[in-house]
Every structure is written in C-alpha cells, then in structure tokens.
Short mmCIF file of all heavy atoms in Angstrom, two decimals:
data_model
loop_
_atom_site.label_atom_id
_atom_site.label_comp_id
_atom_site.label_asym_id
_atom_site.label_seq_id
_atom_site.Cartn_x
_atom_site.Cartn_y
_atom_site.Cartn_z
N MET X 13 13.80 -1.20 -3.88
CA MET X 13 12.55 -1.89 -3.52
C MET X 13 11.40 -1.41 -4.39
O MET X 13 10.63 -2.21 -4.87
CB MET X 13 12.22 -1.61 -2.05
CG MET X 13 13.18 -2.32 -1.13
SD MET X 13 12.66 -2.58 0.57
CE MET X 13 11.44 -1.34 0.87
N ALA X 14 11.32 -0.13 -4.57
CA ALA X 14 10.19 0.42 -5.32
C ALA X 14 10.63 0.81 -6.72
O ALA X 14 11.45 1.70 -6.89
CB ALA X 14 9.63 1.62 -4.60
N GLY X 15 10.11 0.14 -7.69
CA GLY X 15 10.43 0.50 -9.06
C GLY X 15 9.66 1.73 -9.49
O GLY X 15 8.69 2.11 -8.84
N PRO X 16 10.10 2.38 -10.56
CA PRO X 16 9.45 3.63 -11.00
C PRO X 16 8.02 3.42 -11.50
O PRO X 16 7.25 4.37 -11.56
CB PRO X 16 10.35 4.11 -12.14
CG PRO X 16 11.08 2.89 -12.59
CD PRO X 16 11.24 2.02 -11.38
N SER X 17 7.68 2.18 -11.83
CA SER X 17 6.35 1.96 -12.38
C SER X 17 5.32 1.70 -11.30
O SER X 17 4.13 1.62 -11.57
CB SER X 17 6.38 0.79 -13.36
OG SER X 17 6.65 -0.41 -12.67
N TYR X 18 5.78 1.57 -10.08
CA TYR X 18 4.84 1.23 -9.02
C TYR X 18 4.12 2.46 -8.49
O TYR X 18 4.67 3.54 -8.41
CB TYR X 18 5.54 0.50 -7.88
CG TYR X 18 5.83 -0.93 -8.23
CD1 TYR X 18 7.10 -1.32 -8.64
CD2 TYR X 18 4.82 -1.87 -8.16
CE1 TYR X 18 7.35 -2.63 -8.98
CE2 TYR X 18 5.07 -3.18 -8.51
CZ TYR X 18 6.34 -3.56 -8.91
OH TYR X 18 6.59 -4.85 -9.26
N ARG X 19 2.88 2.26 -8.13
CA ARG X 19 2.03 3.33 -7.60
C ARG X 19 1.37 2.81 -6.32
O ARG X 19 1.32 1.62 -6.10
CB ARG X 19 0.96 3.70 -8.63
CG ARG X 19 1.55 4.07 -9.99
CD ARG X 19 0.46 4.18 -11.04
NE ARG X 19 -0.39 5.33 -10.83
CZ ARG X 19 -0.16 6.53 -11.35
NH1 ARG X 19 0.87 6.71 -12.14
NH2 ARG X 19 -0.96 7.54 -11.11
N ALA X 20 0.89 3.75 -5.52
CA ALA X 20 0.24 3.35 -4.28
C ALA X 20 -1.13 4.02 -4.16
O ALA X 20 -1.31 5.18 -4.54
CB ALA X 20 1.10 3.74 -3.08
N CYS X 21 -2.07 3.28 -3.62
CA CYS X 21 -3.43 3.78 -3.49
C CYS X 21 -3.50 4.86 -2.40
O CYS X 21 -2.96 4.71 -1.32
CB CYS X 21 -4.35 2.62 -3.12
SG CYS X 21 -6.05 3.11 -2.83
N LYS X 22 -4.19 5.95 -2.71
CA LYS X 22 -4.32 7.04 -1.74
C LYS X 22 -5.29 6.69 -0.61
O LYS X 22 -5.29 7.32 0.43
CB LYS X 22 -4.83 8.31 -2.45
CG LYS X 22 -3.80 8.91 -3.39
CD LYS X 22 -4.38 10.14 -4.09
CE LYS X 22 -3.36 10.76 -5.02
NZ LYS X 22 -3.90 11.92 -5.76
N GLN X 23 -6.13 5.73 -0.83
CA GLN X 23 -7.13 5.39 0.18
C GLN X 23 -6.69 4.26 1.10
O GLN X 23 -6.84 4.35 2.31
CB GLN X 23 -8.45 5.02 -0.51
CG GLN X 23 -9.12 6.21 -1.17
CD GLN X 23 -10.48 5.82 -1.76
OE1 GLN X 23 -11.25 5.12 -1.14
NE2 GLN X 23 -10.74 6.28 -2.96
N CYS X 24 -6.15 3.18 0.51
CA CYS X 24 -5.82 2.02 1.35
C CYS X 24 -4.34 1.68 1.35
O CYS X 24 -3.94 0.71 1.98
CB CYS X 24 -6.66 0.81 0.93
SG CYS X 24 -6.15 0.06 -0.64
N TYR X 25 -3.51 2.47 0.61
CA TYR X 25 -2.05 2.32 0.60
C TYR X 25 -1.57 1.07 -0.14
O TYR X 25 -0.39 0.76 -0.11
CB TYR X 25 -1.47 2.33 2.02
CG TYR X 25 -1.84 3.55 2.81
CD1 TYR X 25 -2.87 3.48 3.77
CD2 TYR X 25 -1.20 4.75 2.60
CE1 TYR X 25 -3.22 4.60 4.49
CE2 TYR X 25 -1.54 5.88 3.33
CZ TYR X 25 -2.56 5.80 4.27
OH TYR X 25 -2.92 6.90 4.99
N PHE X 26 -2.46 0.36 -0.79
CA PHE X 26 -2.06 -0.83 -1.53
C PHE X 26 -1.16 -0.46 -2.71
O PHE X 26 -1.45 0.49 -3.44
CB PHE X 26 -3.32 -1.56 -2.03
CG PHE X 26 -3.03 -2.89 -2.67
CD1 PHE X 26 -2.63 -3.98 -1.90
CD2 PHE X 26 -3.20 -3.06 -4.04
CE1 PHE X 26 -2.38 -5.21 -2.50
CE2 PHE X 26 -2.95 -4.29 -4.63
CZ PHE X 26 -2.54 -5.36 -3.86
N VAL X 27 -0.05 -1.18 -2.88
CA VAL X 27 0.89 -0.89 -3.97
C VAL X 27 0.55 -1.72 -5.19
O VAL X 27 0.37 -2.94 -5.10
CB VAL X 27 2.34 -1.16 -3.51
CG1 VAL X 27 3.31 -1.08 -4.69
CG2 VAL X 27 2.75 -0.18 -2.42
N THR X 28 0.45 -1.04 -6.33
CA THR X 28 0.04 -1.68 -7.56
C THR X 28 0.72 -0.99 -8.74
O THR X 28 1.39 0.04 -8.56
CB THR X 28 -1.50 -1.62 -7.72
OG1 THR X 28 -1.87 -2.23 -8.95
CG2 THR X 28 -1.99 -0.17 -7.72
N GLU X 29 0.57 -1.53 -9.93
CA GLU X 29 1.13 -0.88 -11.11
C GLU X 29 0.08 -0.10 -11.88
O GLU X 29 0.39 0.62 -12.83
CB GLU X 29 1.75 -1.93 -12.04
CG GLU X 29 3.00 -2.56 -11.44
CD GLU X 29 3.58 -3.64 -12.34
OE1 GLU X 29 3.90 -3.31 -13.49
OE2 GLU X 29 3.69 -4.78 -11.89
N GLY X 30 -1.17 -0.22 -11.49
CA GLY X 30 -2.24 0.41 -12.24
C GLY X 30 -2.58 1.81 -11.77
O GLY X 30 -2.14 2.26 -10.71
N ASP X 31 -3.38 2.52 -12.56
CA ASP X 31 -3.82 3.87 -12.21
C ASP X 31 -4.90 3.84 -11.12
O ASP X 31 -5.09 4.82 -10.42
CB ASP X 31 -4.39 4.58 -13.44
CG ASP X 31 -3.28 4.97 -14.42
OD1 ASP X 31 -2.11 5.04 -13.99
OD2 ASP X 31 -3.58 5.19 -15.59
N THR X 32 -5.61 2.74 -11.05
CA THR X 32 -6.60 2.60 -9.99
C THR X 32 -6.29 1.36 -9.15
O THR X 32 -5.71 0.40 -9.64
CB THR X 32 -8.02 2.46 -10.57
OG1 THR X 32 -8.04 1.37 -11.49
CG2 THR X 32 -8.46 3.73 -11.28
N CYS X 33 -6.68 1.42 -7.91
CA CYS X 33 -6.40 0.35 -6.97
C CYS X 33 -7.28 -0.87 -7.26
O CYS X 33 -8.50 -0.74 -7.35
CB CYS X 33 -6.67 0.85 -5.55
SG CYS X 33 -6.49 -0.40 -4.29
N PRO X 34 -6.67 -2.05 -7.42
CA PRO X 34 -7.47 -3.25 -7.68
C PRO X 34 -8.25 -3.71 -6.46
O PRO X 34 -9.16 -4.52 -6.57
CB PRO X 34 -6.43 -4.30 -8.09
CG PRO X 34 -5.16 -3.85 -7.44
CD PRO X 34 -5.23 -2.33 -7.39
N ARG X 35 -7.89 -3.16 -5.31
CA ARG X 35 -8.52 -3.61 -4.07
C ARG X 35 -9.73 -2.77 -3.69
O ARG X 35 -10.78 -3.30 -3.34
CB ARG X 35 -7.48 -3.60 -2.95
CG ARG X 35 -7.98 -4.19 -1.67
CD ARG X 35 -6.86 -4.81 -0.89
NE ARG X 35 -6.41 -6.07 -1.45
CZ ARG X 35 -5.25 -6.66 -1.16
NH1 ARG X 35 -4.43 -6.09 -0.34
NH2 ARG X 35 -4.93 -7.81 -1.70
N CYS X 36 -9.59 -1.44 -3.77
CA CYS X 36 -10.70 -0.58 -3.34
C CYS X 36 -11.21 0.34 -4.46
O CYS X 36 -12.21 1.03 -4.28
CB CYS X 36 -10.29 0.26 -2.13
SG CYS X 36 -9.20 1.64 -2.52
N GLY X 37 -10.52 0.34 -5.61
CA GLY X 37 -10.96 1.19 -6.71
C GLY X 37 -10.55 2.64 -6.59
O GLY X 37 -10.93 3.47 -7.41
N GLY X 38 -9.74 2.95 -5.58
CA GLY X 38 -9.30 4.32 -5.37
C GLY X 38 -8.22 4.74 -6.34
O GLY X 38 -7.63 3.91 -7.05
N GLN X 39 -7.94 6.05 -6.36
CA GLN X 39 -6.92 6.59 -7.24
C GLN X 39 -5.53 6.28 -6.66
O GLN X 39 -5.32 6.33 -5.46
CB GLN X 39 -7.10 8.10 -7.34
CG GLN X 39 -6.31 8.71 -8.49
CD GLN X 39 -6.48 10.22 -8.55
OE1 GLN X 39 -7.03 10.83 -7.64
NE2 GLN X 39 -6.02 10.81 -9.61
N THR X 40 -4.57 5.95 -7.55
CA THR X 40 -3.22 5.68 -7.10
C THR X 40 -2.32 6.87 -7.41
O THR X 40 -2.63 7.69 -8.26
CB THR X 40 -2.64 4.41 -7.74
OG1 THR X 40 -2.61 4.58 -9.16
CG2 THR X 40 -3.48 3.19 -7.40
N SER X 41 -1.17 6.92 -6.71
CA SER X 41 -0.24 8.03 -6.86
C SER X 41 1.17 7.50 -7.01
O SER X 41 1.53 6.48 -6.42
CB SER X 41 -0.32 8.94 -5.63
OG SER X 41 0.73 9.89 -5.66
N LYS X 42 1.98 8.22 -7.81
CA LYS X 42 3.39 7.86 -7.92
C LYS X 42 4.20 8.41 -6.76
O LYS X 42 5.34 8.02 -6.54
CB LYS X 42 3.97 8.45 -9.22
CG LYS X 42 3.66 7.63 -10.45
CD LYS X 42 4.28 8.31 -11.66
CE LYS X 42 4.30 7.39 -12.87
NZ LYS X 42 4.87 8.11 -14.04
N GLU X 43 3.59 9.35 -6.02
CA GLU X 43 4.29 10.01 -4.92
C GLU X 43 4.03 9.26 -3.62
O GLU X 43 3.13 9.59 -2.88
CB GLU X 43 3.80 11.46 -4.80
CG GLU X 43 3.99 12.27 -6.05
CD GLU X 43 5.46 12.64 -6.26
OE1 GLU X 43 6.12 12.96 -5.27
OE2 GLU X 43 5.92 12.60 -7.41
N TRP X 44 4.87 8.26 -3.39
CA TRP X 44 4.69 7.50 -2.15
C TRP X 44 6.05 7.08 -1.62
O TRP X 44 7.05 7.08 -2.33
CB TRP X 44 3.79 6.29 -2.39
CG TRP X 44 4.30 5.32 -3.41
CD1 TRP X 44 4.12 5.42 -4.76
CD2 TRP X 44 5.06 4.14 -3.18
NE1 TRP X 44 4.73 4.35 -5.38
CE2 TRP X 44 5.32 3.55 -4.43
CE3 TRP X 44 5.55 3.50 -2.03
CZ2 TRP X 44 6.04 2.37 -4.57
CZ3 TRP X 44 6.27 2.32 -2.17
CH2 TRP X 44 6.51 1.77 -3.43
N GLN X 45 6.08 6.73 -0.34
CA GLN X 45 7.33 6.35 0.32
C GLN X 45 7.12 5.14 1.22
O GLN X 45 6.07 4.99 1.83
CB GLN X 45 7.83 7.51 1.20
CG GLN X 45 8.25 8.73 0.41
CD GLN X 45 8.70 9.85 1.34
OE1 GLN X 45 8.16 10.01 2.42
NE2 GLN X 45 9.69 10.61 0.91
N GLY X 46 8.15 4.32 1.31
CA GLY X 46 8.16 3.23 2.27
C GLY X 46 7.32 2.06 1.85
O GLY X 46 6.10 2.16 1.75
N LEU X 47 7.95 0.94 1.60
CA LEU X 47 7.21 -0.24 1.18
C LEU X 47 7.13 -1.23 2.34
O LEU X 47 8.13 -1.57 2.95
CB LEU X 47 7.92 -0.89 -0.02
CG LEU X 47 7.20 -2.06 -0.67
CD1 LEU X 47 5.91 -1.61 -1.32
CD2 LEU X 47 8.10 -2.71 -1.70
N VAL X 48 5.93 -1.65 2.64
CA VAL X 48 5.70 -2.62 3.71
C VAL X 48 5.04 -3.85 3.11
O VAL X 48 4.01 -3.74 2.46
CB VAL X 48 4.79 -2.04 4.81
CG1 VAL X 48 4.55 -3.07 5.89
CG2 VAL X 48 5.40 -0.78 5.41
N ALA X 49 5.66 -4.99 3.32
CA ALA X 49 5.05 -6.24 2.87
C ALA X 49 4.35 -6.88 4.06
O ALA X 49 4.98 -7.28 5.03
CB ALA X 49 6.11 -7.17 2.30
N VAL X 50 3.05 -6.95 3.98
CA VAL X 50 2.26 -7.56 5.05
C VAL X 50 1.98 -9.01 4.67
O VAL X 50 1.29 -9.28 3.69
CB VAL X 50 0.94 -6.79 5.27
CG1 VAL X 50 0.07 -7.50 6.31
CG2 VAL X 50 1.23 -5.37 5.71
N VAL X 51 2.57 -9.94 5.44
CA VAL X 51 2.38 -11.35 5.13
C VAL X 51 1.40 -12.03 6.09
O VAL X 51 0.87 -13.09 5.80
CB VAL X 51 3.73 -12.11 5.14
CG1 VAL X 51 4.61 -11.65 3.99
CG2 VAL X 51 4.44 -11.94 6.46
N ASP X 52 1.19 -11.38 7.24
CA ASP X 52 0.23 -11.93 8.20
C ASP X 52 -0.43 -10.76 8.92
O ASP X 52 -0.01 -10.35 9.99
CB ASP X 52 0.94 -12.85 9.19
CG ASP X 52 -0.05 -13.63 10.05
OD1 ASP X 52 -1.25 -13.28 10.04
OD2 ASP X 52 0.37 -14.58 10.72
N PHE X 53 -1.43 -10.18 8.28
CA PHE X 53 -2.00 -8.92 8.77
C PHE X 53 -2.60 -9.06 10.17
O PHE X 53 -2.66 -8.10 10.92
CB PHE X 53 -3.04 -8.37 7.79
CG PHE X 53 -4.33 -9.15 7.73
CD1 PHE X 53 -5.38 -8.80 8.56
CD2 PHE X 53 -4.49 -10.21 6.86
CE1 PHE X 53 -6.59 -9.50 8.52
CE2 PHE X 53 -5.68 -10.92 6.80
CZ PHE X 53 -6.73 -10.57 7.64
N GLU X 54 -3.02 -10.26 10.55
CA GLU X 54 -3.64 -10.43 11.87
C GLU X 54 -2.61 -10.28 12.99
O GLU X 54 -2.97 -9.97 14.12
CB GLU X 54 -4.32 -11.79 11.95
CG GLU X 54 -5.60 -11.85 11.12
CD GLU X 54 -6.23 -13.24 11.16
OE1 GLU X 54 -5.48 -14.22 11.05
OE2 GLU X 54 -7.45 -13.32 11.27
N LYS X 55 -1.33 -10.51 12.67
CA LYS X 55 -0.28 -10.42 13.69
C LYS X 55 0.61 -9.21 13.50
O LYS X 55 1.57 -9.03 14.24
CB LYS X 55 0.58 -11.70 13.65
CG LYS X 55 -0.19 -12.92 14.11
CD LYS X 55 0.70 -14.15 14.03
CE LYS X 55 -0.09 -15.39 14.46
NZ LYS X 55 0.68 -16.62 14.21
N SER X 56 0.32 -8.38 12.50
CA SER X 56 1.19 -7.23 12.19
C SER X 56 0.70 -5.97 12.89
O SER X 56 -0.45 -5.56 12.73
CB SER X 56 1.22 -7.01 10.68
OG SER X 56 1.79 -5.76 10.39
N ASP X 57 1.59 -5.36 13.69
CA ASP X 57 1.25 -4.09 14.35
C ASP X 57 1.02 -2.99 13.34
O ASP X 57 0.12 -2.16 13.51
CB ASP X 57 2.37 -3.68 15.30
CG ASP X 57 2.44 -4.57 16.52
OD1 ASP X 57 1.42 -5.17 16.87
OD2 ASP X 57 3.53 -4.67 17.12
N ILE X 58 1.86 -2.95 12.30
CA ILE X 58 1.71 -1.92 11.27
C ILE X 58 0.37 -2.06 10.56
O ILE X 58 -0.34 -1.08 10.33
CB ILE X 58 2.87 -2.00 10.25
CG1 ILE X 58 4.18 -1.61 10.94
CG2 ILE X 58 2.61 -1.10 9.05
CD1 ILE X 58 5.41 -1.84 10.08
N ALA X 59 0.00 -3.26 10.23
CA ALA X 59 -1.27 -3.49 9.56
C ALA X 59 -2.43 -3.02 10.43
O ALA X 59 -3.39 -2.42 9.95
CB ALA X 59 -1.43 -4.96 9.21
N ARG X 60 -2.34 -3.27 11.72
CA ARG X 60 -3.40 -2.86 12.63
C ARG X 60 -3.50 -1.34 12.69
O ARG X 60 -4.58 -0.76 12.62
CB ARG X 60 -3.13 -3.43 14.03
CG ARG X 60 -4.35 -3.43 14.92
CD ARG X 60 -4.05 -4.09 16.26
NE ARG X 60 -3.46 -5.42 16.11
CZ ARG X 60 -2.36 -5.83 16.74
NH1 ARG X 60 -1.74 -5.04 17.59
NH2 ARG X 60 -1.88 -7.04 16.55
N LYS X 61 -2.33 -0.67 12.77
CA LYS X 61 -2.32 0.79 12.85
C LYS X 61 -2.86 1.43 11.57
O LYS X 61 -3.48 2.48 11.59
CB LYS X 61 -0.90 1.29 13.10
CG LYS X 61 -0.46 1.14 14.53
CD LYS X 61 0.99 1.59 14.71
CE LYS X 61 1.49 1.26 16.11
NZ LYS X 61 2.96 1.43 16.18
N MET X 62 -2.56 0.79 10.43
CA MET X 62 -2.96 1.36 9.15
C MET X 62 -4.34 0.91 8.72
O MET X 62 -4.86 1.33 7.71
CB MET X 62 -1.94 0.99 8.07
CG MET X 62 -0.59 1.65 8.29
SD MET X 62 0.69 1.04 7.13
CE MET X 62 0.07 1.68 5.58
N GLY X 63 -4.93 0.00 9.48
CA GLY X 63 -6.25 -0.48 9.13
C GLY X 63 -6.25 -1.45 7.98
O GLY X 63 -7.24 -1.58 7.25
N ILE X 64 -5.12 -2.15 7.79
CA ILE X 64 -5.00 -3.12 6.69
C ILE X 64 -5.66 -4.43 7.10
O ILE X 64 -5.39 -4.97 8.17
CB ILE X 64 -3.51 -3.33 6.35
CG1 ILE X 64 -2.93 -2.07 5.72
CG2 ILE X 64 -3.33 -4.54 5.44
CD1 ILE X 64 -1.42 -2.09 5.58
N ALA X 65 -6.51 -4.93 6.22
CA ALA X 65 -7.23 -6.16 6.53
C ALA X 65 -7.00 -7.22 5.47
O ALA X 65 -7.84 -8.07 5.22
CB ALA X 65 -8.73 -5.88 6.68
N ALA X 66 -5.84 -7.16 4.81
CA ALA X 66 -5.49 -8.17 3.82
C ALA X 66 -3.98 -8.16 3.63
O ALA X 66 -3.33 -7.14 3.81
CB ALA X 66 -6.19 -7.89 2.49
N ASN X 67 -3.42 -9.30 3.27
CA ASN X 67 -1.99 -9.36 3.02
C ASN X 67 -1.65 -8.73 1.67
O ASN X 67 -2.47 -8.71 0.76
CB ASN X 67 -1.52 -10.82 3.04
CG ASN X 67 -1.67 -11.45 4.41
OD1 ASN X 67 -1.64 -10.76 5.42
ND2 ASN X 67 -1.84 -12.75 4.43
N GLY X 68 -0.41 -8.22 1.58
CA GLY X 68 0.02 -7.61 0.33
C GLY X 68 1.09 -6.58 0.59
O GLY X 68 1.60 -6.46 1.70
N LYS X 69 1.41 -5.80 -0.45
CA LYS X 69 2.42 -4.76 -0.31
C LYS X 69 1.73 -3.41 -0.18
O LYS X 69 0.82 -3.09 -0.95
CB LYS X 69 3.35 -4.75 -1.52
CG LYS X 69 4.29 -5.94 -1.52
CD LYS X 69 5.19 -5.90 -2.74
CE LYS X 69 6.08 -7.15 -2.74
NZ LYS X 69 6.46 -7.54 -4.10
N TYR X 70 2.21 -2.60 0.77
CA TYR X 70 1.59 -1.31 1.05
C TYR X 70 2.65 -0.23 1.19
O TYR X 70 3.79 -0.51 1.58
CB TYR X 70 0.77 -1.38 2.35
CG TYR X 70 -0.39 -2.33 2.26
CD1 TYR X 70 -0.21 -3.67 2.55
CD2 TYR X 70 -1.65 -1.88 1.87
CE1 TYR X 70 -1.27 -4.57 2.44
CE2 TYR X 70 -2.71 -2.76 1.78
CZ TYR X 70 -2.51 -4.10 2.06
OH TYR X 70 -3.55 -4.98 1.96
N ALA X 71 2.26 1.00 0.91
CA ALA X 71 3.13 2.15 1.12
C ALA X 71 2.87 2.73 2.50
O ALA X 71 1.74 2.71 2.98
CB ALA X 71 2.86 3.21 0.05
N LEU X 72 3.94 3.25 3.12
CA LEU X 72 3.77 3.89 4.42
C LEU X 72 3.15 5.27 4.28
O LEU X 72 2.33 5.68 5.09
CB LEU X 72 5.12 4.00 5.13
CG LEU X 72 5.63 2.74 5.80
CD1 LEU X 72 6.99 3.00 6.41
CD2 LEU X 72 4.68 2.23 6.87
N LYS X 73 3.60 6.00 3.25
CA LYS X 73 3.09 7.35 3.03
C LYS X 73 2.70 7.51 1.57
O LYS X 73 3.45 7.13 0.68
CB LYS X 73 4.14 8.41 3.37
CG LYS X 73 4.39 8.58 4.85
CD LYS X 73 5.39 9.69 5.06
CE LYS X 73 5.70 9.87 6.55
NZ LYS X 73 6.78 10.87 6.75
N VAL X 74 1.55 8.10 1.31
CA VAL X 74 1.10 8.40 -0.04
C VAL X 74 0.67 9.86 -0.10
O VAL X 74 -0.09 10.32 0.75
CB VAL X 74 -0.08 7.51 -0.47
CG1 VAL X 74 -0.46 7.81 -1.93
CG2 VAL X 74 0.26 6.04 -0.31
N ARG X 75 1.22 10.58 -1.07
CA ARG X 75 0.83 11.99 -1.23
C ARG X 75 -0.21 12.13 -2.32
O ARG X 75 -0.23 11.38 -3.28
CB ARG X 75 2.04 12.84 -1.54
CG ARG X 75 2.79 13.24 -0.30
CD ARG X 75 3.82 14.28 -0.63
NE ARG X 75 5.01 13.66 -1.21
CZ ARG X 75 5.99 14.34 -1.80
NH1 ARG X 75 5.94 15.61 -1.91
NH2 ARG X 75 7.02 13.71 -2.29
ZN1 LIG O 14 -6.98 1.05 -2.51
#
C-alpha cells in the first residue's frame, strides 16, 4: 500500500510525496504507519477521531 517514496505530514497526517504537506504546509516524515483512505470524512469515525476535515489519504501514525 505504501510505496517508499510516500511521506506523511506530522501535523495533519496527510500522505504525500513531497517534503512539505500540500494541505497545511507542515513537515513530512518517511517514518509513518497505516494508510487510511478517507472518502467521506463527514461519515468516517476515524476522520472524526483524527480531526480530518477533508477527503484523501492519511497515515495512522507519524513519527
Ligand atoms: Zn499537513
């Protein structure tokens, strides 16, 4: 699921390929686990718990 080039934002958990998060501008990390695809954040329990307010791919844990 997670390719070696993917990184996750330390602030909002958004998964991206860049060094900085395109969503919040935060720093991204290669050290992350668990990929969650949020397709309907308004109905997703995980999105609510993580404070996600947009659809997309997110990491469960980011170090
Ligand atoms: Zn972010």
Side-chain angles (χ1 to χ4, degrees):
M13 289 200 337
S17 67
Y18 284 100
R19 305 169 70 90
C21 177
K22 291 178 179 177
Q23 291 184 43
C24 73
Y25 304 101
F26 186 71
V27 171
T28 179
E29 291 178 58
D31 288 340
T32 55
C33 176
R35 186 151 285 163
C36 76
Q39 194 182 10
T40 60
S41 170
K42 280 180 166 178
E43 302 286 320
W44 60 276
Q45 294 179 324
L47 186 66
V48 179
V50 176
V51 293
D52 190 348
F53 71 91
E54 288 177 317
K55 292 179 181 172
S56 167
D57 289 336
I58 293 172
R60 198 176 308 131
K61 282 177 188 168
M62 292 173 68
I64 291 169
N67 295 333
K69 288 180 183 151
Y70 296 87
L72 281 178
K73 287 183 181 174
V74 183
R75 277 191 280 168

